[in-house]
Amino acid sequence: MASSPQPAANPGIQDLASRIYVELVGRAFLRAENTAVIKPDPAELAKLSLQLAEIFRKMEKAVNAAVGPQNIGYNVELADMAKWDK
């Protein structure tokens, strides 16, 4: 049996990773003696781009949650919601 393919990344992460990849390749591109050379391995740059995008999205969610509205001091029970219907 063939092994199952790796699950696809979140589309938002893929878009960010592709932008990071383009930036990394652009910075790693060298022109030497009329030939184009990419110093790091492009596959390694792709892996790094995905890792950076995942970490960025994770930290973005954490920061947004920290600065968002907080429900401090409110304890809503299921019985409280049942009273709303009356």
Side-chain angles (χ1 to χ4, degrees):
M1 295 183 96
S3 64
S4 62
Q6 187 175 9
N10 183 333
I13 291 177
Q14 286 180 339
D15 181 52
L16 179 59
S18 67
R19 286 192 248 159
I20 292 171
Y21 180 77
V22 168
E23 185 68 28
L24 289 176
V25 168
R27 291 172 185 257
F29 178 80
L30 297 173
R31 185 172 177 176
E33 299 176 12
N34 238 3
T35 60
V37 178
I38 298 177
K39 267 298 195 195
D41 180 32
E44 290 300 318
L45 288 179
K47 287 181 194 175
L48 178 62
S49 299
L50 283 168
Q51 291 171 347
L52 290 172
E54 288 174 3
I55 292 168
F56 181 83
R57 290 295 186 215
K58 185 188 301 182
M59 293 308 300
E60 182 180 47
K61 286 180 183 178
V63 168
N64 287 340
V67 298
Q70 305 292 322
N71 291 332
I72 299 173
Y74 294 102
N75 187 14
V76 180
E77 298 291 329
L78 189 57
D80 297 329
M81 288 188 267
K83 293 176 189 175
W84 297 344
D85 289 336
K86 293 180 181 179

